[in-house]
Amino acid sequence: MKPYVICHMLASIDGKIDGSFLRAVTGAGDYESTGAMLKGDAWVCGRITMQQHFADNAPFISASNRPAGPQPVYVARRSQSYAISVDTIGKLRWSKNNIDGDHLICVVSERVPEDYLILLRKKKISYIVTGKVSVDLVQAIKLLGKHFGIKRLLLEGGGHINGAFLEAGLIDEVSLLVVPGIDGRTTIPAVFDGVNSSIKKAVQLKLKSVEQRKNGTLWIRYSVIDQ
Ligand SMILES: NC(=O)c1ccc[n+]([C@@H]2O[C@H](COP(=O)([O-])OP(=O)(O)OC[C@H]3O[C@@H](n4cnc5c(N)ncnc54)[C@H](OP(=O)(O)O)[C@@H]3O)[C@@H](O)[C@H]2O)c1
């Protein structure tokens, strides 16, 4: 069973997602408290977001550089809630097997070094190895449902992992907090970024609800119309 995927993001009115830049126009805790209302049993982020906010500062350096190749799913434990990182070649170093109590699952490709997986097992961190060169997101989502019982997954950025989920047709809903601010910088990723430029039409959405908040923030929810 594929989990239901909600992409939950905060953005300026020009769709940029640098949270620290937008802090002055964002209500304290708004992103997190709104996310909690979506009642996910897991949340997932791309490698860059995980590095910025949650993983250890120093990256993992492999001693062997021997790719692990295909591997069975490793379930260190089942949990009520999960934090999931998508990290193609195992760059992120983790000292704990949870983020604020959410059990950590690392999703990596077959290029991940063997000694990275040994370290994860030692730390009782669960993992999924899927995809020869890059992570096979479609397969990863199926395995998250099958092995961990995840039913409702919050996709929480950044822009490039969101773009990849979108391209793979995995997103069911978008939950967007539009804060009253403008960014405008070209270097900052958008809510959905890095999508193949050969795609010629917008992904169609259906408005579910709009909530206007006191500080001028809008909480907009859309369903993704099947492609
Ligand atoms: N405003 C918000 O709601 C919000 C939420 C989250 C994050 N953010 C911000 O977003 C920014 C980071 O966004 P980002 O777009 O640069 O990075 P990102 O989406 O967090 O991470 C992208 C990385 O994920 C890994 N990845 C693995 N499989 C992938 C696949 N199939 N497709 C794409 N990526 C894959 C890649 O790592 P490898 O390079 O190792 O392959 C890729 O470089 C940060 O500034 C963060 O603070 C904002």
Side-chain angles (χ1 to χ4, degrees), residues 8-12 15-20 22 31 44-54 85-92 107-109 111 133-137 155-165 167-168 175-177 187-194:
H8 175 59
M9 293 294 288
L10 180 144
S12 58
K16 302 288 186 175
I17 61 170
D18 181 351
S20 51
L22 297 172
Y31 177 73
V44 56
C45 286
R47 196 259 308 165
I48 291 173
T49 299
M50 282 300 197
Q51 181 67 73
Q52 245 180 35
H53 298 288
F54 303 108
S85 78
V86 191
D87 177 12
T88 316
I89 54 167
K91 286 183 185 163
L92 298 173
V107 178
V108 295
S109 75
R111 287 162 64 204
V133 179
S134 56
V135 168
D136 180 341
L137 291 174
L155 168 61
E156 298 195 341
H160 287 85
I161 200 69
N162 292 349
F165 267 71
E167 268 195 293
S175 159
L176 186 63
L177 280 173
T187 50
I188 303 303
V191 175
F192 295 94
D193 216 316

Side-chain angles (χ1 to χ4, degrees), residues 77-146:
R77 70 175 170 90
R78 294 280 292 249
S79 175
Q80 298 282 82
S81 55
Y82 298 94
I84 303 160
S85 78
V86 191
D87 177 12
T88 316
I89 54 167
K91 286 183 185 163
L92 298 173
R93 183 181 280 280
W94 300 101
S95 49
K96 292 190 301 182
N97 73 350
N98 71 87
I99 299 177
D100 298 333
D102 300 335
H103 177 65
L104 183 60
I105 306 173
C106 294
V107 178
V108 295
S109 75
E110 292 177 19
R111 287 162 64 204
V112 75
E114 279 173 350
D115 52 352
Y116 189 74
L117 299 184
I118 292 169
L119 185 66
L120 294 185
R121 287 199 297 274
K122 209 163 116 191
K123 292 195 175 291
K124 298 266 177 283
I125 296 171
S126 298
Y127 60 75
I128 291 174
V129 180
T130 178
K132 282 203 180 312
V133 179
S134 56
V135 168
D136 180 341
L137 291 174
V138 173
Q139 187 62 10
I141 291 299
K142 276 190 202 148
L143 294 171
L144 286 168
K146 182 172 169 193

